[in-house]
Amino acid sequence: MPRKCYMVLSGFILCWLLAGMIGGSVSAGSGAPALTGRNGAEKLEQAAEALYSYVLEGDVVKARQKSAEISEIFVSSSFEGLTSVEGVNALSGVIMDLKATLAAAQIDPGKWEAAAARMRLAANSLSHPRQPMWQQYYKLIREDLNDMEQSAAAGNPEGWKAAVSRLQSRYDTIRPAVVISSRPEAVSAFDSWLSYAAGVTDSSQPPGRSRLLEIVSYGQDAVRVLFGKERDEPALSLPLAPAEYGAWGLLAGVFIITALAYAAFRKYRGEREDLRPV
């Protein structure tokens, strides 16, 4: 009897060990574990850099393969703590746009490169929020603002429109990356200003030279805030004339001013906390 019990017990233990081994094999073969935090961000940036290189080289097959890899990294990663909900949505939008562009039957090198550039900047912004690559666009956007200022001073509406169009094109390239690593109020302020500047010359009563110069001045402040180069206090002059542009213009101006003032307050409070003795 004791021998029989021993055999039954040994069989039970052997079955239990085999079940554990099989279960472990199934778990190991079910896919890689979810990526979290910096690990996922770094892998996403590496894949985006490789994709950008393949697009510049014109390697269609590898570019599409890397696009699929980017989607898998995004789905299996958690970026909690690295960006806001708006940032995750912006990143998702970039990936969807990238996949749609690369999946098109007819290859458009210009669109491919633009989509790959947005993806590269967005991934870099997620991985390097303190020194993102999109900050390099500051000088270019300031040059567009200078062109707007010169057009305003010369009373040249066509020159104004051309400068705004160039600025919009540059901003479209970096906007997802900006959303990922910037304060929402700074992004909203610049979005509102750019939208207004783009349509201001199309109104039935186009603004005069002085008003256009005010709009440019306010845009310069909005750009400084967006790129983290804000002054101690934002300019509080209203660039939108309520009498000429109606209630929408007044509300847009007030919103932008409020956003910039809040951004300045956040910076001031952060500096005070940094100086507080431990």
Side-chain angles (χ1 to χ4, degrees), residues 212-226:
L212 288 177
L213 289 175
E214 278 189 85
I215 294 172
V216 172
S217 177
Y218 198 86
Q220 291 169 343
D221 285 339
V223 166
R224 277 192 290 268
V225 172
L226 188 69

Side-chain angles (χ1 to χ4, degrees), residues 14 102-103 108 133 136 144 157 228 240:
L14 180 60
L102 299 187
D108 187 327
M133 194 183 299
Q136 298 174 10
D144 293 332
L240 314 176

Side-chain angles (χ1 to χ4, degrees), residues 20-177:
M21 293 174 63
I22 294 172
S25 300
V26 171
S27 297
S30 62
L35 299 172
T36 58
R38 293 294 175 190
N39 191 23
E42 289 172 0
K43 286 186 176 296
L44 189 68
E45 184 181 20
Q46 292 169 5
E49 287 284 352
L51 169 73
Y52 187 71
S53 298
Y54 293 145
V55 168
L56 293 183
E57 295 168 2
D59 195 326
V60 178
V61 175
K62 288 186 178 180
R64 286 173 172 163
Q65 290 175 345
K66 194 58 65 172
S67 173
E69 180 182 334
I70 286 173
S71 296
E72 293 175 0
I73 294 173
F74 178 78
V75 171
S76 62
S77 300
S78 171
F79 302 119
E80 184 179 358
L82 299 182
T83 186
S84 61
V85 174
E86 292 83 1
V88 174
N89 289 337
L91 181 59
S92 174
V94 171
I95 294 174
M96 291 177 63
D97 178 66
L98 175 69
K99 290 178 67 67
T101 301
L102 299 187
Q106 186 173 0
I107 298 175
D108 187 327
K111 289 183 178 180
W112 276 48
E113 186 172 343
R118 284 193 293 272
M119 183 68 245
R120 182 189 183 204
L121 289 168
N124 171 268
S125 186
L126 184 68
S127 187
H128 306 280
R130 294 185 180 276
Q131 292 183 322
M133 194 183 299
W134 63 264
Q135 291 274 347
Q136 298 174 10
Y137 277 69
Y138 178 70
K139 183 179 179 181
L140 295 174
I141 290 181
R142 285 302 302 268
E143 289 176 356
D144 293 332
L145 283 167
N146 290 339
D147 291 341
M148 291 173 63
E149 186 175 27
Q150 292 175 7
S151 298
N156 180 7
E158 294 305 317
W160 173 279
K161 290 180 180 179
V164 172
S165 179
R166 287 194 299 273
L167 196 158
Q168 282 182 313
S169 178
R170 299 190 206 279
Y171 184 59
D172 286 345
T173 300
I174 68 172
R175 189 180 185 279

Side-chain angles (χ1 to χ4, degrees), residues 222-240:
V223 166
R224 277 192 290 268
V225 172
L226 188 69
F227 282 80
K229 303 179 184 296
E230 63 266 36
R231 297 169 176 170
D232 291 339
E233 294 182 4
L236 296 180
S237 58
L238 182 64
L240 314 176

